[in-house]
Amino acid sequence: MKLNVHPQPIRDGQPFLIKPRRLVVAIQLCKKHPNLRIINHPILLDELSRMRNKETAKEDFARHMDQVAPFLAYEALSDLSIEYRIIETPVAAMSAPFLSSRKVALVSVLGAGEAFRNGMWRNLLPWAPCGMIAARRNEQTLKAELTYTRLPKKLHGWKTLVVDPMLATGGSSSDAIDLLKRETGADDIMLVSLVAAPMGVDVLHERHPNVVVYTLALDSSLTKNGYINPGLGDAGDRYFGVTPNG
């Protein structure tokens, strides 16, 4: 895994490099959790930084999330198998690669997950069946309460992307995956997030060690209210404009 360390201001006449605390945590967790994938593409990191900025307007925040979402799905689905078929281009015949199976499903953990999933579905996977699991966090216990589900009937043998942009405590995602396995038989599950916290990764992999997590950033900690620090605020509220600028 490649991790960028950016130069800081001049010290004693010389440029110097530091390892921010969350970078050290990221390296340690990647060693501890082999199924954690931190995607470190400069363009995606730029988009994420714009989403983090509290001054970013609702319409810009939504646009950035929609742009980032399909690229995370690209990465998570990079091992899909292909088969070759003979086709005719306007110039000549050729053996062209096609997906050998389109058994890919998207399941969002509401409410922010619904917004995040839409970018994947509209821009990359319009043929994929979609499900949703509504989860509401109890602000006193910080635990997830599943309130509504609508899922495809059978997902055994399908690649299933669970979409939850903020992997904070790990409770709602873990509960959603429990339900997904129980109700649909899903057995090839990946979780896609924008930002994760160390606790969320620990909890999820303690309960579901075979689920691969794809994220753009592993931040340092959680606040006392269970939000990722530094994070980007409430992704769903900011996407839908429930609160101005997060």
Side-chain angles (χ1 to χ4, degrees):
M1 179 192 67
K2 178 184 176 184
L3 291 169
N4 290 334
V5 182
H6 298 285
Q8 302 298 303
I10 300 296
R11 174 190 289 169
D12 297 329
Q14 297 293 327
F16 65 96
L17 299 177
I18 65 169
K19 287 187 177 180
R21 181 173 182 271
R22 66 175 180 269
L23 179 60
V24 175
V25 171
I27 293 171
Q28 291 172 343
L29 250 73
C30 284
K31 290 179 180 178
K32 180 180 178 182
H33 298 289
N35 281 337
L36 174 63
R37 309 280 189 269
I38 300 177
I39 301 168
N40 200 42
H41 192 287
I43 293 176
L44 299 184
L45 295 180
D46 178 87
E47 295 279 347
L48 177 60
S49 294
R50 296 175 190 278
M51 282 187 277
R52 287 187 189 272
N53 188 347
K54 69 178 184 179
E55 301 301 327
T56 297
K58 176 263 179 190
E59 60 272 21
D60 294 324
F61 184 94
R63 175 171 52 83
H64 292 309
M65 186 183 283
D66 287 345
Q67 289 173 173
V68 164
F71 289 101
L72 285 165
Y74 273 127
E75 194 70 26
L77 298 172
S78 61
D79 63 345
L80 287 175
S81 59
I82 60 172
E83 62 185 21
Y84 286 84
R85 306 175 198 164
I86 301 300
I87 65 168
E88 294 276 349
T89 78
V91 177
M94 67 168 289
S95 178
F98 290 85
L99 290 176
S100 58
S101 172
R102 287 194 168 196
K103 287 188 173 182
V104 176
L106 300 172
V107 176
S108 60
V109 181
L110 294 180
E114 184 76 355
F116 198 32
R117 188 201 68 190
N118 283 345
M120 300 178 188
W121 180 70
R122 286 199 309 265
N123 299 320
L124 180 65
L125 303 163
W127 38 264
C130 295
M132 60 181 69
I133 299 174
R136 179 178 59 196
R137 187 174 66 168
N138 184 308
E139 297 299 332
Q140 276 67 51
T141 66
L142 303 184
K143 293 183 178 180
E145 298 174 351
L146 302 183
T147 58
Y148 173 82
T149 62
R150 187 171 180 85
L151 298 169
K153 289 185 178 180
K154 294 182 180 180
L155 291 175
H156 182 79
W158 288 60
K159 285 192 174 294
T160 304
L161 301 189
V162 174
V163 182
D164 188 356
M166 308 302 289
L167 180 57
T169 64
S172 59
S173 292
S174 296
D175 289 346
I177 292 170
D178 280 334
L179 178 66
L180 189 61
K181 289 179 176 179
R182 185 170 65 250
E183 297 292 328
T184 71
D187 58 346
D188 188 359
I189 300 171
M190 293 149 284
L191 185 134
V192 181
S193 74
L194 285 172
V195 181
M199 177 183 174
V201 177
D202 284 339
V203 168
L204 185 119
H205 278 155
E206 181 178 340
R207 292 172 58 179
H208 302 286
N210 294 325
V211 171
V212 181
V213 175
Y214 291 85
T215 188
L216 286 180
L218 186 70
D219 283 3
S220 59
S221 61
L222 296 177
T223 69
K224 64 180 181 180
N225 295 322
Y227 286 94
I228 297 176
N229 179 31
L232 51 76
D234 188 303
D237 283 357
R238 295 188 67 189
Y239 186 96
F240 292 113
V242 175
T243 55
N245 295 327

